[in-house]
Amino acid sequence: MPDTFRTPQGTFDVLPPESRAYESLVARFARRARAAGYGLVISPTFEDVGVFQRVGESTDVVRKEMYDFYDKGDPPRHLALRPEGTASVVRAFVQHRPVLPWKTWYVAPSFRYERAQAGRYRQHHQLGVEVLGTEDPLLDAEVIALLDGFYRELPLRQVTLHLNSLGDDTCRPAYRAELEAFLAARADQLCDEHRDRFRDNPLRVLDCKQPDCLAATEDAPWQLDRLCGPCTAHFAQVREGLDELGVGFSIDKRLVRGLDYYTRTTFEFTAGALESAQNAVGGGGRYDKLAEDLGGPPTPGIGFGTGLERLRMACAAEHVDLVGPSPVDAFVVDTTGGLAALVLAQRLRSAGIPTDRAWDGRSFKAQFKLADRSGARVAVIVGPDEAGRGVVAIKPLRGGEQVEVPDELVVTRVREMIDAED
Ligand code: HAM
């Protein structure tokens, strides 16, 4: 294969059996989201570039990392691949105006032209939720607890929740001006990137991991100490809700996150088992102005995204087994030509018993080897002798007696034998 055909830098294939870990993460997340009343949203992978620019002109995601392109239209349209999930869902809300509150979840690829390294890819996949239509701080607690519960169920144990409030239009502008003046007085002490650019978004400097910026901002003013009355009350209720649900958190005054739309509650989960540069497994917060920015009515919102790849890495680092036992319980071995296996496998599958079989008319021995390798618990065997007598043999593959049952009882008996093993 020519080298250029290989997966582009920063992307990779996920193949079986590794993909079962991803499947398991998506299935568990879907179950949890559905149980809490969230509905799936599927939106286009590309949108007008303006939709994504609303996540913030000063963010790296928009300034440096967007995969934007012109299509073949006349005139051509300026489009971009989705760099994150929130803007698309809020755009869908503005376009369709569903009944509020609108509780949604998604699993979607996201594209960012980042410097590729472990845990940082040019295509990653996010599981997320977005809720539009209420400012209720107890919703913030529900949303955060949903993600916390998902991690705990896996179970990831070394995950820490960091929490902050970034204020609103009442208290943020004055704070931002104060922070900007503070940074201006220390501009020469900031890291190379922020020395000249801190005015674009002074809050980002607080999140900078460079030692220079960390030292220079040690005594910085914090938004959390300068919240207005309503934001203070809102944040207190978020914390109270989390306390009631038994969700532990630590307040992190530096947490500002990499997207500009956040207001009030912001949060991030870090995985202790991962390298600190890429240890954020999930994050989110409120974005009470984003719907308006996208041309909709004033509509508060909150959500989060958690990256499947980082989640997978965190699970591996904590030795969490996401895959569990074999994907099939039964394996049909057919030496009558294959037609019997076609029908038997379908009957077993229709009865909810995961089943596989061999192909190409292989020998009994070869088929049996495949049955063993499949990890199935029982082999369902039909040879010319069994077929002639209308029976099927069932052999437990992890020890136990082979039995023979009439063809019509095969599903019942296979199920009994599988259940007996559990
Ligand atoms: P984010 O923090 O940029 O937030 O991304 C969410 C998660 O996606 C991260 O915690 C990380 O697990 C994963 N992630 C991000 N970039 C990469 C990458 N290059 N490679 C691998 N994984 C990555 C958002 O995107 C917001 N939309 C979250 C949100 C939803 N806020 C409100 N609602």
Side-chain angles (χ1 to χ4, degrees):
M1 186 178 85
D3 259 6
T4 48
F5 285 11
R6 304 183 77 82
T7 47
Q9 191 165 9
T11 69
F12 57 92
D13 297 314
V14 185
L15 309 177
E18 165 63 9
S19 52
R20 274 165 54 205
Y22 286 74
E23 217 182 308
S24 161
L25 287 167
V26 175
R28 290 178 204 217
F29 189 84
R31 212 176 310 126
R32 190 165 275 272
R34 213 178 308 122
Y38 292 70
L40 175 67
V41 167
I42 301 171
S43 64
T45 303
F46 59 88
E47 306 232 13
D48 186 275
V49 71
V51 171
F52 299 126
Q53 280 164 342
R54 296 302 185 279
V55 309
E57 292 286 359
S58 77
T59 62
D60 285 352
V61 169
V62 170
R63 261 187 339 115
K64 302 187 200 160
E65 298 167 0
M66 199 109 85
Y67 275 92
D68 64 319
F69 60 98
Y70 289 87
D71 75 2
K72 295 181 167 52
D74 184 19
R77 302 167 191 88
H78 193 184
L79 303 167
L81 298 184
R82 168 178 42 229
E84 60 99 52
T86 312
S88 301
V89 174
V90 177
R91 191 272 311 140
F93 159 72
V94 172
Q95 186 172 335
H96 305 285
R97 301 289 177 87
V99 175
L100 298 176
W102 195 44
K103 297 172 74 175
T104 70
W105 74 275
Y106 51 87
V107 50
S110 300
F111 306 84
R112 299 181 188 178
Y113 191 77
E114 301 216 57
R115 204 163 59 78
Q117 52 194 297
R120 194 169 288 280
Y121 307 107
R122 292 186 176 166
Q123 172 171 348
H124 70 279
H125 298 79
Q126 284 189 22
L127 289 165
V129 310
E130 311 292 346
V131 184
L132 283 129
T134 168
E135 280 192 338
D136 194 328
L138 297 183
L139 170 66
D140 303 27
E142 172 181 301
V143 164
I144 296 170
L146 194 149
L147 186 53
D148 180 76
F150 171 61
Y151 293 149
R152 312 242 158 250
E153 177 196 316
L154 295 174
L156 279 177
R157 296 200 167 82
Q158 301 168 44
V159 170
T160 310
L161 167 59
H162 306 262
L163 192 64
N164 194 16
S165 174
L166 292 178
D168 64 4
D169 276 358
T170 309
C171 49
R172 175 98 63 88
Y175 167 70
R176 190 187 151 121
E178 184 185 352
L179 179 64
E180 195 175 326
F182 174 91
L183 295 173
R186 290 160 184 77
D188 55 336
Q189 299 165 33
L190 302 178
C191 76
D192 289 350
E193 188 191 342
H194 286 122
R195 197 172 306 126
D196 305 322
R197 300 203 59 246
F198 72 90
R199 285 183 202 283
D200 290 355
N201 188 348
L203 273 74
R204 286 296 297 157
V205 181
L206 302 177
D207 213 19
C208 177
K209 304 288 183 287
Q210 297 292 332
D212 287 349
C213 280
L214 281 172
T217 55
E218 225 163 63
D219 305 319
W222 303 109
Q223 175 73 73
L224 205 56
D225 302 326
R226 282 156 179 76
L227 295 177
C228 58
C231 284
T232 304
H234 192 274
F235 195 50
Q237 272 205 285
V238 176
R239 293 188 323 251
E240 194 186 339
L242 291 172
D243 285 340
E244 279 297 311
L245 293 172
V247 175
F249 57 86
S250 65
I251 298 293
D252 185 348
K253 294 177 176 182
R254 282 190 185 273
L255 180 69
V256 300
R257 311 249 320 119
L259 303 159
D260 282 353
Y261 49 58
Y262 290 111
T263 53
R264 292 190 163 172
T265 313
T266 45
F267 57 95
E268 201 158 85
F269 285 86
T270 54
L274 294 183
E275 288 281 320
S276 66
Q278 264 74 244
N279 68 353
V281 277
R286 281 209 157 267
Y287 43 83
D288 292 342
K289 297 283 158 212
L290 186 57
E292 266 174 285
D293 280 353
L294 283 163
T299 314
I302 179 170
F304 63 72
T306 182
L308 272 176
E309 292 77 8
R310 282 197 201 167
L311 208 44
R312 175 72 189 115
M313 286 169 71
C315 289
E318 286 199 33
H319 306 292
V320 170
D321 176 20
L322 290 168
V323 172
S326 159
V328 293
D329 287 333
F331 196 100
V332 184
V333 172
D334 171 11
T335 51
T336 67
L339 215 51
L342 188 73
V343 175
L344 263 174
Q346 172 140 316
R347 277 172 58 202
L348 289 160
R349 290 169 188 159
S350 303
I353 299 169
T355 303
D356 207 352
R357 55 158 301 179
W359 301 101
D360 301 321
R362 296 188 179 204
S363 69
F364 178 82
K365 204 170 146 202
Q367 291 192 47
F368 218 83
K369 213 162 153 189
L370 286 172
D372 248 347
R373 208 186 294 159
S374 76
R377 297 196 260 189
V378 297
V380 178
I381 305 161
V382 208
D385 170 48
E386 285 87 0
R389 291 187 291 122
V391 297
V392 169
I394 310 172
K395 183 173 171 52
L397 290 168
R398 297 176 204 163
E401 285 298 300
Q402 177 166 323
V403 296
E404 201 174 87
V405 298
D407 183 61
E408 63 275 16
L409 287 185
V410 63
V411 168
T412 316
R413 196 73 179 99
V414 165
R415 201 194 315 275
E416 277 169 13
M417 288 169 76
I418 289 167
D419 288 350
E421 264 203 37
D422 281 336

